[in-house]
Amino acid sequence: MGIVLPRAIRRLAAVIAGAGAAGCATLGGLAALVQPPRFTTVPDRPAELRLLGSGSGPLGGAGVRLWARVENPNPFGLTLSTLTGSLLLESGRSGDWPRAATLDLPLGLPLAARQQTEIPIDLTVSFSDLPELADIARRAINGSTVPYRLEGTVGVDAGSLGRPTFGPLTLLTGEMRIRR
């Protein structure tokens, strides 16, 4: 039995050394151990659409606030370092999902192991940049809900496990109402 243990230890050391060498060559090795943060809408904090005056463009625009619950599913802490993506709003007329706004946030939000936190995501939509959003503006003014999707890429800093990026992912979906 004394002979089996050293052989098993040598094999284990070889596997660890191989994984460490692969991890040094690319982030794929250890970064593959990191799970992406999970994003969900916050049920008691609905998404808001606020119509803005002409200061946000010749045709006006809208301010959008989405509330996200961000959860770190990993058994170790990490920092949510970047969030990039697009806000898509459903066009009732065509069934398309035109891009209404882009998102590029450096966050630096620390998340402890298995911790969750709620964050606001604020965006501005200019109607002059996106004529296909006219139908969406009419629906919002009339009090209808506007379905949305937030699609994007998430970057994390996991310390010695690397800085992996996840996505593109659908981060949030839901409906928003105009806030008067």
Side-chain angles (χ1 to χ4, degrees):
M1 198 160 196
I3 295 173
V4 174
L5 185 58
R7 183 181 296 169
I9 291 173
R10 282 194 307 263
R11 285 183 184 165
L12 180 61
V15 169
I16 290 171
C24 291
T26 67
L27 281 180
L30 294 176
L33 300 174
V34 181
Q35 296 179 48
R38 295 183 188 131
F39 287 75
T40 56
T41 57
V42 181
D44 56 337
R45 292 187 131 166
E48 299 173 352
L49 178 73
R50 298 173 317 279
L51 294 180
L52 304 173
S54 60
S56 59
L59 299 176
V64 174
R65 174 168 278 178
L66 307 175
W67 284 94
R69 182 171 289 136
V70 183
E71 176 190 356
N72 175 9
N74 296 288
F76 49 84
L78 53 78
T79 299
L80 180 61
S81 55
T82 61
L83 179 59
T84 60
S86 298
L87 174 66
L88 309 172
L89 300 177
E90 183 182 37
S91 172
R93 206 184 289 163
S94 64
D96 291 335
W97 288 80
R99 181 174 46 217
T102 57
L103 176 66
D104 189 1
L105 300 175
L107 292 177
L109 177 67
L111 293 170
R114 304 202 197 299
Q115 175 194 354
Q116 63 182 10
T117 190
E118 294 176 5
I119 61 169
I121 300 173
D122 291 314
L123 303 141
T124 302
V125 177
S126 173
F127 294 139
S128 63
D129 292 340
L130 301 162
E132 60 268 15
L133 293 178
D135 175 59
I136 294 166
R138 279 191 293 281
R139 288 189 355 234
I141 290 169
N142 292 331
S144 298
T145 60
V146 177
Y148 72 88
R149 270 190 344 237
L150 182 64
E151 296 183 349
T153 303
V154 178
V156 300
D157 182 347
S160 61
L161 296 178
R163 297 176 151 256
T165 302
F166 304 96
L169 307 164
T170 298
L171 301 170
L172 298 173
T173 61
E175 292 185 338
M176 62 181 81
R177 286 198 178 274
I178 190 167
R179 189 180 105 187
R180 298 179 192 263

